[in-house]
Short mmCIF file of all heavy atoms in Angstrom, two decimals:
data_model
loop_
_atom_site.label_atom_id
_atom_site.label_comp_id
_atom_site.label_asym_id
_atom_site.label_seq_id
_atom_site.Cartn_x
_atom_site.Cartn_y
_atom_site.Cartn_z
N LEU A 371 93.66 101.39 82.53
CA LEU A 371 94.37 102.12 83.53
C LEU A 371 95.40 103.20 82.87
O LEU A 371 96.07 102.86 81.84
CB LEU A 371 95.31 101.20 84.31
CG LEU A 371 94.63 100.27 85.31
CD1 LEU A 371 95.66 99.48 86.11
CD2 LEU A 371 93.70 101.05 86.29
N VAL A 372 95.23 104.39 83.34
CA VAL A 372 96.25 105.42 82.98
C VAL A 372 96.86 106.12 84.19
O VAL A 372 96.27 106.06 85.28
CB VAL A 372 95.67 106.58 82.03
CG1 VAL A 372 95.14 105.94 80.79
CG2 VAL A 372 94.57 107.30 82.78
N GLY A 373 98.05 106.70 84.04
CA GLY A 373 98.68 107.38 85.16
C GLY A 373 98.22 108.79 85.23
O GLY A 373 97.29 109.29 84.66
N ASP A 374 98.99 109.58 86.09
CA ASP A 374 98.70 111.02 86.14
C ASP A 374 99.55 111.80 85.10
O ASP A 374 99.40 113.00 85.02
CB ASP A 374 99.19 111.49 87.57
CG ASP A 374 98.35 111.00 88.66
OD1 ASP A 374 97.15 110.63 88.35
OD2 ASP A 374 98.69 111.00 89.87
N VAL A 375 100.38 111.03 84.32
CA VAL A 375 101.22 111.61 83.26
C VAL A 375 100.65 111.20 81.98
O VAL A 375 100.22 109.98 81.79
CB VAL A 375 102.63 111.16 83.42
CG1 VAL A 375 103.50 111.70 82.37
CG2 VAL A 375 103.21 111.65 84.84
N ASP A 376 100.66 112.16 81.03
CA ASP A 376 100.17 111.78 79.70
C ASP A 376 101.36 111.11 78.95
O ASP A 376 102.31 111.85 78.40
CB ASP A 376 99.82 113.12 78.93
CG ASP A 376 99.43 112.77 77.42
OD1 ASP A 376 99.09 111.72 77.09
OD2 ASP A 376 99.60 113.81 76.65
N PHE A 377 101.43 109.77 78.99
CA PHE A 377 102.55 109.03 78.60
C PHE A 377 102.92 109.31 77.18
O PHE A 377 104.16 109.44 76.82
CB PHE A 377 102.25 107.49 78.77
CG PHE A 377 103.59 106.60 78.62
CD1 PHE A 377 104.41 106.38 79.69
CD2 PHE A 377 103.88 106.04 77.32
CE1 PHE A 377 105.58 105.58 79.48
CE2 PHE A 377 105.04 105.28 77.20
CZ PHE A 377 105.83 105.09 78.29
N ALA A 378 101.90 109.46 76.20
CA ALA A 378 102.25 109.63 74.82
C ALA A 378 103.00 110.90 74.54
O ALA A 378 103.96 110.84 73.73
CB ALA A 378 100.90 109.61 74.04
N SER A 379 102.74 112.02 75.26
CA SER A 379 103.46 113.23 75.05
C SER A 379 104.73 113.27 75.87
O SER A 379 105.65 113.93 75.46
CB SER A 379 102.61 114.41 75.17
OG SER A 379 102.21 114.58 76.61
N ALA A 380 104.75 112.55 77.07
CA ALA A 380 105.83 112.71 78.01
C ALA A 380 107.01 111.81 77.58
O ALA A 380 108.16 112.24 77.66
CB ALA A 380 105.36 112.32 79.41
N ALA A 381 106.71 110.61 77.10
CA ALA A 381 107.82 109.65 76.81
C ALA A 381 108.87 110.19 75.77
O ALA A 381 109.96 109.99 76.01
CB ALA A 381 107.19 108.31 76.30
N PRO A 382 108.49 110.88 74.75
CA PRO A 382 109.48 111.30 73.78
C PRO A 382 110.40 112.42 74.42
O PRO A 382 111.53 112.60 74.08
CB PRO A 382 108.70 112.01 72.63
CG PRO A 382 107.34 111.35 72.72
CD PRO A 382 107.02 111.13 74.17
N VAL A 383 109.89 113.21 75.42
CA VAL A 383 110.70 114.27 76.03
C VAL A 383 111.50 113.75 77.22
O VAL A 383 112.62 114.19 77.43
CB VAL A 383 109.79 115.43 76.54
CG1 VAL A 383 110.54 116.55 77.04
CG2 VAL A 383 108.71 115.80 75.48
N ALA A 384 110.97 112.87 77.97
CA ALA A 384 111.61 112.30 79.19
C ALA A 384 112.87 111.48 78.79
O ALA A 384 112.95 110.94 77.77
CB ALA A 384 110.70 111.42 80.00
N GLY A 385 113.83 111.48 79.82
CA GLY A 385 114.97 110.67 79.71
C GLY A 385 114.67 109.30 80.12
O GLY A 385 115.24 108.30 79.66
#
Side-chain angles (χ1 to χ4, degrees):
L371 285 186
V372 298
D374 291 342
V375 176
D376 176 23
F377 191 87
S379 68
V383 187

